[in-house]
Amino acid sequence: KNEVEQSPQNLTAQEGEFITINCSYSVGISALHWLQQHPGGGIVSLFMLSSGKKKHGRLIATINIQEKHSSLHITASHPRDSAVYICAVRYNAGNNRKLIWGLGTSLAVNP
Amino acid sequence: NAGVTQTPKFRVLKTGQSMTLLCAQDMNHEYMYWYRQDPGMGLRLIHYSVGEGTTAKGEVPDGYNVSRLKKQNFLLGLESAAPSQTSVYFCASSASYEQYFGPGTRLTVT
């Protein structure tokens, strides 16, 4: 069992829909990252958060440390949002430069 | 700024051949990382560096070596390539905790 679990694994939506991607983890963390990987392969950091909520444009990320859970929301989805969304966590202990990665959620937004 | 660049973008090797992947960053970041990405698996850390002249093992270091002779460059070497090393390799750098990724190198070992 991966220490970072994402759901769903695959998601198809219609343009304009509200999308939620979930990430659960099993250990104490100091921060959680959300990243986006486009079909061409490039990986871009979207958010880094350790509590509460962050918003950037149509993207919103929330985290509940007690429940060990984070969500990434996309409002008014668009075909250009089609990508793989990856959750990664940084542990509290040890060398906390290293990240533990989820397997990603593949999102397809149809026009 | 170019950010993080990787050379080459694609490569095909025969089993037993050697090669070096180059990662360069122009953001003056202290930390640099090499990952591999395989279908059905999350990114896995191969080696990383916390500064010029330093390297450390990640989760899957076997079969790879690295060097960080200059702060801006992080080299990943395969001494004797194996089919199990067929993968997409990503380099990343960071100043603090947010990592910036290169475009990736797709390596096939036949």
Side-chain angles (χ1 to χ4, degrees):
Chain A
K1 183 171 160 43
N2 209 33
E3 290 166 296
V4 178
E5 296 280 344
Q6 288 187 235
S7 63
Q9 194 172 354
N10 296 287
L11 181 56
T12 300
Q14 288 300 123
E15 184 172 356
E17 284 184 2
F18 180 84
I19 288 162
T20 297
I21 298 169
N22 298 298
C23 176
S24 298
Y25 50 91
S26 55
V27 294
I29 67 169
S30 56
L32 182 143
H33 300 250
W34 281 104
L35 303 99
Q36 180 191 56
Q37 184 170 24
H38 271 284
I43 300 173
V44 176
S45 179
L46 298 174
F47 296 104
M48 182 177 68
L49 63 166
S50 53
S51 65
K53 174 178 168 178
K54 285 191 177 181
K55 184 175 189 293
H56 185 252
R58 295 179 294 105
L59 300 177
I60 303 166
T62 64
I63 188 168
N64 185 319
I65 294 292
Q66 286 72 33
E67 294 186 5
K68 294 186 170 59
H69 180 268
S70 175
S71 293
L72 177 68
H73 305 286
I74 305 175
T75 61
S77 60
H78 191 276
R80 65 174 173 267
D81 297 325
S82 298
V84 175
Y85 292 84
I86 305 171
C87 169
V89 302
R90 183 152 35 87
Y91 282 144
N92 266 334
N95 183 338
N96 63 4
R97 294 284 169 189
K98 296 189 216 175
L99 298 173
I100 307 298
W101 298 81
L103 300 185
T105 294
S106 180
L107 170 65
V109 181
N110 296 323
Chain B
N1 288 351
V4 181
T5 58
Q6 291 183 232
T7 310
K9 289 189 170 49
F10 302 93
R11 185 73 187 266
V12 178
L13 285 180
K14 288 185 168 39
T15 296
Q17 286 185 321
S18 64
M19 78 162 293
T20 300
L21 281 67
L22 170 64
C23 176
Q25 52 96 3
D26 61 3
M27 296 173 282
N28 202 34
H29 287 169
E30 288 293 337
Y31 303 90
M32 296 187 75
Y33 315 82
W34 274 109
Y35 293 94
R36 59 178 291 173
Q37 186 178 42
D38 301 292
M41 306 185 80
L43 282 161
R44 292 184 291 168
L45 183 65
I46 304 170
H47 285 281
Y48 64 100
S49 167
V50 301
E52 181 179 318
T54 74
T55 63
K57 294 181 181 178
E59 300 168 68
V60 288
D62 293 343
Y64 304 96
N65 57 75
V66 286
S67 65
R68 183 104 181 264
L69 298 179
K70 293 182 180 180
K71 187 177 184 179
Q72 64 267 33
N73 296 336
F74 195 28
L75 279 63
L76 178 71
L78 286 73
E79 291 178 344
S80 179
S84 60
Q85 293 177 305
T86 293
S87 188
V88 180
Y89 291 86
F90 286 96
C91 174
S93 71
S94 69
S96 56
Y97 296 112
E98 182 177 0
Q99 295 186 16
Y100 295 80
F101 285 82
T105 295
R106 187 172 294 275
L107 175 66
T108 302
V109 183
T110 61

